[in-house]
C-alpha cells in the first residue's frame, strides 16, 4: 500500500477533505467484492464455524442483517466536499468491528449481540433550555429534515488508535439544534443513549459503568457544519451495531464522542459530565479532540491503524479537519 496521498495543489485552495474521487474506492467495487465472497461460500463457512460453538449466541450470517427495518428513503446526494485521502473501509469490516459497550467489550462480537435491540418505533427527546422541548418520532424528525440529507465520507479515528473511512448519511446536527431552538442560557448539549438492559448484555456485565452512555458537545461544536446526525452508512439505514436509528458523528474528535442510538438531547448551562471522562478522567478528556501530540497514558496517539488493511498512518491534529475546526479552540 502506498503512503497516504496528499491533497493536490490547485489554483483555488481546496479544503483538506477535498481529494480526488478516485482515491476513494467506489461503493460498486465493494459490492462486487461482496458478491465474489458470497460465490466462494466464505459466508457459509463463517456461519458453520459459529454453529459449532454450542453456547455462543446465534450469529447472524451477515452483519448487515442487523440493519433494522426502516421506511425506504431515497439515496442521499453525496456532498462532493467530503471525500477522504484513503480507500473506503469495506462495509463488512466496519460492520464487524465496533465499540458499543452496551453490547460488551469485544469489538469483533458486537454485531453478533445486537439482534434483540429494538430500534423502531424510536423517539428522540429534546429537553432543557430550548423553545421546542418534547419527544419527536424519529421518522417524523427525518421527514422534517429531509431536505438537508446528504452522504459524506469521513475519516473516523478511535482513541484506541484504530481508524476507518466510511460514508455516512445524515443531516447536519445544526439542523436538529435549529429545530430545538435553544435559549441563551444553553452553552452545551448533553446527549444520552438508549438503555434497554434486557437487550444489552454489556450493561449487566459491567455494572460499574454509569449507564446509560452519555456524552456532550459545546453548543458551538454542535452547530459546526462538520457535526453530523447520522441515520445511515454505506447508503442504507444504520445497522444496530453502528448506532441505529440515529447517532452523532464528529469526525475531528475521538470516536467515543460520536454517541450511538441517541434518545435525548438536552440543552444545558455549563459543561455536563461524560461517560468515559467519569470512568477514567486521566485517560479521556471531555473535549476528545484528536491530537497526535498528546499520548494516551497507555499508548501513543501519533499513528493509527486502518482496520481494513492494518496499514499505519500518521494521525493528524483534529483528525485532519483542523482547517475547519481549529478556530473553535483558539484562546
Ligand atoms: N452508546 C455508545 N456510543 C458509542 C460507544 C459506546 O460504547 N456506546 N462507543 C464509542 C466509540 S469508543 C467509538 S470508537 C465509536 C465506534 O463506532 P462504530 O462502531 O460505528 O465504528 O462509537 C462510539 N459511540
Ligand atoms: Mo473509540
Amino acid at each position: 500500500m502506498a503512503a497516504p496521498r496528499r491533497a493536490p495543489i490547485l489554483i483555488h485552495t481546496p479544503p483538506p477533505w477535498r481529494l480526488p474521487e478516485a482515491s476513494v474506492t467506489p461503493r460498486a467495487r465493494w459490492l462486487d467484492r461482496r458478491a465474489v465472497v458470497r460465490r466462494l461460500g466464505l459466508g457459509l463457512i463463517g456461519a458453520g464455524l459459529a454453529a459449532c460453538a454450542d453456547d455462543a449466541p446465534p450469529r447472524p450470517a451477515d452483519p448487515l442483517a442487523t440493519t433494522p427495518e426502516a421506511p425506504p428513503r431515497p439515496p442521499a446526494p453525496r456532498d462532493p466536499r467530503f471525500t477522504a485521502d484513503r480507500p473506503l473501509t469495506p462495509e463488512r469490516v466496519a460492520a464487524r468491528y465496533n465499540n458499543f459497550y452496551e453490547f460488551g467489550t469485544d469489538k469483533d462480537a458486537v454485531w453478533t449481540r445486537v439482534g434483540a435491540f429494538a430500534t423502531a418505533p424510536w423517539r428522540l427527546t429534546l429537553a432543557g433550555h430550548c423553545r421546542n422541548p418534547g419527544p419527536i418520532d424519529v421518522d417524523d424528525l427525518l421527514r422534517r429534515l429531509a431536505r438537508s440529507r446528504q452522504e459524506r465520507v469521513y475519516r473516523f479515528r478511535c482513541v484506541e488508535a484504530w481508524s476507518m473511512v466510511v460514508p455516512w448519511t445524515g443531516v447536519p446536527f445544526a439542523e436538529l439544534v435549529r429545530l430545538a431552538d435553544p435559549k441563551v442560557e444553553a452553552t452545551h448539549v448533553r446527549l444520552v443513549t438508549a438503555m434497554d438492559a434486557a437487550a444489552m448484555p454489556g450493561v449487566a456485565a459491567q455494572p460499574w459503568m454509569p449507564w446509560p452512555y452519555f456524552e456532550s458537545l459545546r453548543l458551538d461544536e454542535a452547530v459546526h457544519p462538520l457535526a453530523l446526525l447520522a441515520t445511515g452508512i454505506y447508503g442504507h439505514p444504520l445497522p444496530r451495531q453502528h448506532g441505529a436509528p440515529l447517532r452523532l458523528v464528529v469526525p475531528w474528535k475521538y470516536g467515543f464522542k460520536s454517541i450511538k442510538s441517541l434518545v435525548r438531547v438536552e440543552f444545558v448551562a455549563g459543561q455536563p459530565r461524560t461517560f468515559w471522562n467519569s470512568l477514567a478522567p486521566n485517560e479521556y478528556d471531555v473535549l476528545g479532540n484528536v491530537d497526535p501530540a498528546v499520548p494516551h497514558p497507555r499508548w501513543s496517539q501519533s499513528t493509527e491503524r486502518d482496520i481494513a488493511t492494518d496499514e499505519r498512518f500518521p494521525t493528524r491534529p483534529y483528525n485532519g479537519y483542523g482547517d475547519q475546526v481549529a478556530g473553535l479552540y483558539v484562546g
Side-chain angles (χ1 to χ4, degrees), residues 43-64:
L44 286 177
I45 294 169
L49 286 176
C52 295
D54 273 338
D55 48 5
R59 293 169 75 95
D62 179 348
L64 303 175

Side-chain angles (χ1 to χ4, degrees), residues 165-299:
V165 179
V166 297
W168 302 102
T169 306
V171 298
F173 196 86
E175 296 292 327
L176 181 70
V177 173
R178 204 190 318 276
L179 200 141
D181 198 2
K183 298 180 181 170
V184 304
E185 302 94 294
T187 61
H188 292 71
V189 284
R190 179 172 181 272
L191 309 164
V192 186
T193 292
M195 227 290 259
D196 176 357
M200 294 173 156
V203 168
Q206 298 156 108
W208 63 91
M209 292 192 164
W211 310 108
Y213 194 97
F214 52 106
E215 256 301 334
S216 79
L217 290 176
R218 289 182 348 208
L219 202 53
D220 60 341
E221 296 175 324
V223 300
H224 189 280
L226 283 176
L228 195 70
L229 181 65
T231 57
I233 189 169
Y234 289 96
H236 53 69
L238 288 171
R240 293 178 170 84
Q241 65 268 35
H242 279 305
L246 78 168
R247 70 172 299 170
L248 176 70
V249 180
V250 271
W252 71 95
K253 293 176 178 284
Y254 290 123
F256 64 85
K257 299 292 295 181
S258 290
I259 186 171
K260 294 178 169 178
S261 303
L262 194 58
V263 290
R264 187 177 174 86
V265 175
E266 198 176 332
F267 294 83
V268 298
Q271 171 65 60
R273 305 202 64 194
T274 59
F275 183 87
W276 284 109
N277 184 251
S278 332
L279 276 166
N282 58 323
E283 301 195 5
Y284 310 102
D285 70 348
V286 164
L287 274 183
N289 290 329
V290 173
D291 188 348
V294 177
H296 184 278
R298 292 182 277 130
W299 57 83

Side-chain angles (χ1 to χ4, degrees), residues 26-37:
R27 174 168 159 76
R29 280 241 307 275
W30 292 115
L31 292 176
D32 274 4
R33 198 162 306 178
R34 290 172 59 187
V36 169
V37 170

